[in-house]
Amino acid sequence: MGFSFNPFASSSTPSPPSPKPTPDGAFIAPDRSSRAKCYEARDAFFQCLDQHGILDAIKDEELATKGCKNVEVVFGRECKGSWVTYFKQRRVMEWKKQQTLNKIEAEGGWVPPGAATPAASHPQMPK
């Protein structure tokens, strides 16, 4: 109904093609090589965010775009939009989880084996 403006839409960076529905209506998931490209692009983007001291690429979108525009474009091109949002949100959630585990451990609490996350390797964030 009417004109809809999305300031975040970009016609210069096409998304991966939409999955095709199967005869029963389900969608075909990305294949292994597509997922690998997506994960590679995600890891490069997150590495760039780490180098610029940015934890939350959604909240600090302007800083993330300024510092990591090229790798963010590749990330958006190689991964579906819903995956990009999910990975950005999960990055923050994993960091918060690790901070909570660190606090529990510092207070003498027990942290179950395997509870530590890859976020433990992130620099001390947020700013």
Side-chain angles (χ1 to χ4, degrees):
M1 192 152 75
F3 179 75
S4 176
F5 174 71
N6 182 351
F8 304 107
S10 172
S11 60
S12 64
T13 57
S15 292
S18 296
K20 305 285 186 254
T22 60
D24 66 356
F27 289 94
I28 299 170
D31 62 17
R32 185 179 301 191
S33 66
S34 295
R35 288 191 310 269
K37 288 178 186 176
C38 174
Y39 299 152
E40 212 172 279
R42 174 203 59 193
D43 294 345
F45 178 60
F46 286 175
Q47 183 177 14
C48 181
L49 292 178
D50 289 345
Q51 290 169 351
H52 288 87
I54 301 167
L55 173 65
D56 191 338
I58 296 172
K59 185 184 88 182
D60 298 324
E61 182 177 12
E62 190 175 313
L63 287 174
T65 301
K66 182 180 176 185
C68 302
K69 184 174 179 77
N70 294 338
V71 287
E72 186 173 24
V73 167
V74 173
F75 182 34
R77 185 180 60 229
E78 296 296 339
C79 301
K80 296 298 283 179
S82 60
W83 286 34
V84 170
T85 302
Y86 168 78
F87 287 137
K88 288 178 179 180
Q89 291 171 340
R90 182 173 171 90
R91 173 181 164 88
V92 176
M93 183 274 305
E94 291 288 344
W95 183 85
K96 288 179 179 178
K97 175 183 171 185
Q98 187 60 48
Q99 296 309 300
T100 300
L101 292 171
N102 291 347
K103 182 179 177 189
I104 290 169
E105 203 167 42
E107 293 173 353
W110 178 76
V111 176
T117 65
S121 64
H122 289 315
Q124 291 301 311
M125 296 181 199
K127 290 180 181 180

